[in-house]
Amino acid sequence: MNRFFRFAQHGVLIGVLFLVLSGCTTHKYAATNRVYKKQVRSFSKLLRTYPIKDSFTTATPWVGTTNFSIRRPSLVVIHHTAQTSCDQTLRTFTLPRTAVSSHYVICRDGTVHHMLNDLLRGHHAGVSKWGGATDLNSSSIGIEIDNDGSEPFSPDQISSLLNVLGYLKRAFNIPQANFVGHADIAPGRKVDPSRRFPWQELSKNGFGHWYDTVGVNVPEHFNALQALRIIGYNTANEKNAIQSYKIHFVPQDTTKVINDADRKILYSLLGKYQ
Ligand SMILES: [Zn+2]
């Protein structure tokens, strides 16, 4: 009997210890992580069905090719969160009703949260266009930087961002021209990352291009608006396209007018982006 009680006491102790330990190790986002895993599992299952259920079907039997690979991202879109803390953003991206997400969130202290497998489609770009490409969520990686839109970006953040960009560029062989801002791909609708974002520094590190107007002579027939379009901007609305270009390349200028300095800049950029 005594032995039984000792055994029972032991069991209770182990139970309490287990509860305490599991309480300590419970991840704040354990519940939404389970939702993430469940969704990834359902996509894996979908990939394994062939012919895939909602695909074009014919009466002929399925013949699977032996030559294929997985689709990969070819563009990186940088955002600022317009929120006041990383916690706020993590919460926004784990609430199903918001329907928004990004692959990475970079906090003010440089902490990087990876929230979505790079091969999966994030919901960060919205209605957007870059060059001839639309549905940029399908082809891009989204990076959100914790910043309220008016403050400077912290050196720790930029340093972490450069690390993430370096990894993405190597992993997916992303061309230097294909690192853009949300404002670049959604003129008139988005203005992030803000005018304080250090695009020139990024370009020096191989992410996006920058201009060099020293000794540049712009030919008389040069069409600045056409240059904007060739670089990638959606010029359907000229003023909006010019605004997005200025946010990225001439942040101190809040006008929506192309002047002589802009013509030089655009002529220089054209040589790099085309
Ligand atoms: Zn954005």
Side-chain angles (χ1 to χ4, degrees), residues 10-271:
H10 214 67
V12 168
L13 268 175
I14 288 171
V16 168
L17 198 66
F18 175 77
L19 280 176
V20 168
L21 281 175
S22 63
C24 290
T25 53
T26 296
H27 192 289
K28 191 175 168 189
Y29 289 98
T32 49
N33 280 352
R34 278 195 292 277
V35 175
Y36 175 91
K37 277 188 186 164
K38 199 176 159 198
Q39 279 175 225
V40 169
R41 263 201 303 275
S42 80
F43 289 135
S44 312
K45 215 169 140 191
L46 186 70
L47 281 174
R48 285 198 300 273
T49 62
Y50 50 93
I52 200 160
K53 277 193 211 96
D54 61 354
S55 68
F56 175 78
T57 52
T58 65
T60 55
W62 168 268
V63 180
T65 178
T66 53
N67 315 321
F68 61 96
S69 51
I70 204 152
R71 291 174 199 264
R72 295 144 70 92
S74 58
L75 186 79
V76 175
V77 181
I78 297 168
H79 306 252
H80 72 228
T81 59
Q83 292 191 317
T84 52
S85 74
C86 245
D87 271 352
Q88 208 183 346
T89 305
L90 297 182
R91 191 171 147 66
T92 304
F93 289 174
T94 49
L95 287 174
R97 66 178 152 80
T98 67
V100 291
S101 61
S102 73
H103 296 81
Y104 297 88
V105 174
I106 303 182
C107 309
R108 286 169 170 79
D109 67 359
T111 303
V112 177
H113 291 280
H114 195 177
M115 298 190 73
L116 178 63
N117 185 318
D118 297 336
L119 299 175
L120 296 178
R121 185 176 184 273
H123 296 168
H124 62 96
V127 178
S128 50
K129 191 169 182 237
W130 187 244
T134 54
D135 185 21
L136 296 176
N137 276 331
S138 286
S139 57
S140 71
I141 295 278
I143 301 180
E144 286 279 358
I145 303 180
D146 182 31
N147 179 286
D148 69 7
S150 59
E151 64 192 316
F153 293 85
S154 85
D156 286 338
Q157 255 175 341
I158 298 305
S159 159
S160 293
L161 173 66
L162 292 175
N163 280 335
V164 174
L165 296 181
Y167 151 74
L168 292 171
K169 193 179 180 185
R170 282 190 303 275
F172 302 113
N173 205 13
I174 297 174
Q176 177 161 1
N178 291 7
F179 293 81
V180 297
H182 202 186
D184 294 315
I185 63 166
R189 198 173 68 80
K190 293 290 172 182
V191 294
D192 64 307
S194 80
R195 291 172 189 268
R196 307 192 77 152
F197 188 73
W199 282 112
Q200 189 174 6
E201 187 184 343
L202 257 71
S203 169
K204 274 188 199 144
N205 286 278
F207 313 114
H209 290 297
W210 202 249
Y211 51 87
D212 178 8
T213 53
V214 178
V216 163
N217 285 311
V218 181
E220 218 173 289
H221 65 268
F222 176 66
N223 183 330
L225 209 65
Q226 198 177 44
L228 277 177
R229 191 164 55 242
I230 293 169
I231 289 166
Y233 289 98
N234 178 0
T235 55
N237 180 311
E238 293 179 16
K239 294 282 176 206
N240 289 344
I242 295 168
Q243 183 188 40
S244 282
Y245 144 76
K246 298 250 186 187
I247 289 171
H248 188 131
F249 293 103
V250 204
Q252 67 280 10
D253 181 356
T254 55
T255 71
K256 299 176 186 178
V257 182
I258 297 281
N259 57 37
D260 282 347
D262 293 316
R263 284 172 60 80
K264 277 192 175 184
I265 291 168
L266 286 166
Y267 188 67
S268 165
L269 287 173
L270 189 60

